[in-house]
Amino acid sequence: MTSPYPRIRPTGTTPRRVRDLALTFGLEQAPVTSPDTPSAGGRQAPADVVVTSVASDNRAAADGDLFVALPGAHAHGARFAPDAVARGARAVLTDAHGAAALAAGDLPPGVPVLVAADPRAVLGPVAAWVYGEPAEHLMTFGVTGTNGKTTTTYQVDHLLRALGWTGGLVGTVETRAGDQVLPSRLTTPEAADLQAVLAAMCEAGVHTLAMEVSSHSLSMHRVDGIEFGVVGFTNLSQDHLDFHGDLQAYFDAKASLFTPARARRGVVVVDDVWGERMAAAAEVPVATLRTRPARADEPAADWSVTDVAPHGTGSAFTLTHRDGRSLRTSTSLPGGFNVANAALAVAMVLEGGAHLEDVVEALESAGGLSATVPGRMEVVGAGDDAGEPGQPRVVVDFAHNTDALELALAALRPTTTGRLVVVFGATGDRDPGKRPAMGAAAVAGADVVVVTDDDPHSEDAAAVRAAVLDGARAAQQVAREAGRDVTVLEVAPRGEAIARAVAGAGAADTVLVAGRGHETVQEVAGVDLELDDRVEARRALQQRLAGGEDQGREHQERTTTA
Ligand SMILES: CC(=O)N[C@H]1[C@@H](OP(=O)(O)OP(=O)(O)OC[C@H]2O[C@@H](n3ccc(=O)[nH]c3=O)[C@H](O)[C@@H]2O)O[C@H](CO)[C@@H](O)[C@@H]1O[C@H](C)C(=O)N[C@@H](C)C(=O)N[C@H](CCC(=O)O)C(=O)O
Ligand SMILES: Nc1ncnc2c1ncn2[C@@H]1O[C@H](COP(=O)(O)OP(=O)(O)OP(=O)(O)O)[C@@H](O)[C@H]1O
């Protein structure tokens, strides 16, 4: 990867006339008011200009682009238009402010500037048009919800591949388009990048798309221009309120995925009240899915999960439709929530039109839903194999909100014969309300709580830890009164916290390193530091092995009584 702003793009595209673009989307051409070119005649008529691709960030601009200059919270993209043009952009689309800024003659006269009232709102459809509506050539599956998007998306992709399709994937961890694989910057890319990825998928012979759709992306029009074949909703809990304001607005953003402009049909997990509301609010046909026993006052769901039983590292379960279709399969990932993710994935593929017999056969040959999801309940070993004798089980998970932390701990408790240790922190510059709640959740679910740093971003890391510790210490007191002794430690930096927790754990213990999952960069005071929890955990396990098996337990006992 050489570019600082790498993108997946198609290699061959059809030139589109800017004039046709303007006509199709009803866009005006900005008058030219540069002192050197006082009349519109100074700028080339759009009829002569063609574009083959779209960019909304100058750092990603390339020859033949339409550069879409968006107003943002930090800058107006118009500021970067001259650089985008220097990199090969042939035309600019922006709003009236952007056009006014560019009227000063910053662009060569041959570059047409088109104006839209809200360029973000047209970017998706415009990019889809330029790239030849690639989503229409793919079977598209979109997953939204607070937790479980990445995991469910991987399971959908896994099942589609087991069915013989060539799968493409877009999400928090990575983007996969044929042989091209790129780590992700955003969960759901900006529309210009997304449409380019879809076009590259079509070019690479990809048949299916499994994709995460974040609430930010829905509010910011990133998936406009895509009508998903099937969309899925996992769950909703407090998160991202710094962006959405309140839970209702957060819910409304997610609900907009279940409308005819964005999807043809959906599957909604109705385990919680938000799922029921989503099913009621949906403006497209949805099938409901319940993954826990129904209460007496609840109507039967379309799809139900029953007979959940331990199976290897995960669970086996039966998925049944009210019409009688039924299958039994398994997920290798631990925890009840992973049964929900797996069942949602299977139901989405079935609602997409796959035949039950084919799905049963595919799941049997694939050994169930056994996709490994990077940094999601990922068991890390000192070597290639996880779970060496004499070593604690170390699990790296992306749980970074209260609900996810509670569930991750609950998922690991039944298979932990010793103590459950958790290492985690809260993110700086994000929803401060969840910090004490996460501290309390950790104490409620674990025996040893090691509070450390997540991504402090621009905040004082010690102050973020202090807010988490407030919640943890209050809960510790409550636990003590109830006769449960929980150890609470503060250890920073994060690498040291992981090392201490692993060194201090006994062979029967589980150490959950929560919050950062697959991430490899930690932002501290505006500086990006390399940090991969899986690498730190592996190193700590190797050090334990080198230092002898009993060293950990002794160390933990010393720490615990300190
Ligand atoms: C709130 C939010 O999502 N903001 C995104 C938005 O920022 P913005 O509108 O304020 O844009 P800006 O930074 O002012 O820049 C304005 C325009 O100038 C362009 N620009 C800017 C700088 C430059 O050097 N060159 C350039 O061309 C930008 O690409 C943009 O088009 O557009 C930017 C350009 O794409 C994004 O980087 C930025 O993501 C921010 C940094 C971000 O972190 N977003 C997160 C919260 C997000 O979207 N997360 C969700 C997942 C959440 C979850 O479920 O966990 C996601 O889908 O990733
Ligand atoms: N269905 C679920 N319900 C609750 N928690 C879940 C569920 N699935 C996963 N989790 C927990 O949430 C964490 C994040 O999971 P995952 O990455 O699949 O979700 P996500 O929605 O993609 O998250 P994000 O939007 O933050 O990237 C996991 O590490 C796990 O602890």
Side-chain angles (χ1 to χ4, degrees), residues 28 38 75 111-112 138 158 243 262 273 374 376-377 410 427 445 469 483:
E28 295 290 323
V111 177
L138 298 164
H158 181 74
F243 179 78
R262 289 185 161 151
V273 65
R376 272 63 178 173
M377 287 292 178
T427 321
L469 282 161

Side-chain angles (χ1 to χ4, degrees), residues 111-148:
V111 177
V113 175
L114 302 178
V115 184
D118 181 358
R120 241 188 202 288
V122 294
L123 174 54
V126 163
W129 181 85
V130 169
Y131 287 115
E133 308 294 346
E136 289 179 9
H137 304 285
L138 298 164
M139 281 188 271
T140 47
F141 296 82
V143 182
T144 199
T146 304
N147 294 310

Side-chain angles (χ1 to χ4, degrees), residues 419 421 448 487 489 500-507 509 544 549-562:
R419 291 167 308 169
V421 182
V448 180
T487 304
L489 304 168
R500 289 258 308 265
V502 172
D509 294 347
R544 251 184 78 97
E549 281 176 17
D550 293 333
Q551 169 221 5
R553 169 66 76 179
E554 283 163 20
H555 177 85
Q556 181 69 65
E557 277 162 4
R558 278 202 310 276
T559 318
T560 306
T561 50

Side-chain angles (χ1 to χ4, degrees), residues 286-288 290 299-304 319-326:
V286 292
T288 53
R290 186 169 292 116
D302 296 310
W303 292 97
S304 311
L319 178 68
T320 308
H321 193 271
R322 56 158 94 232
D323 67 9
R325 278 178 294 162
S326 187

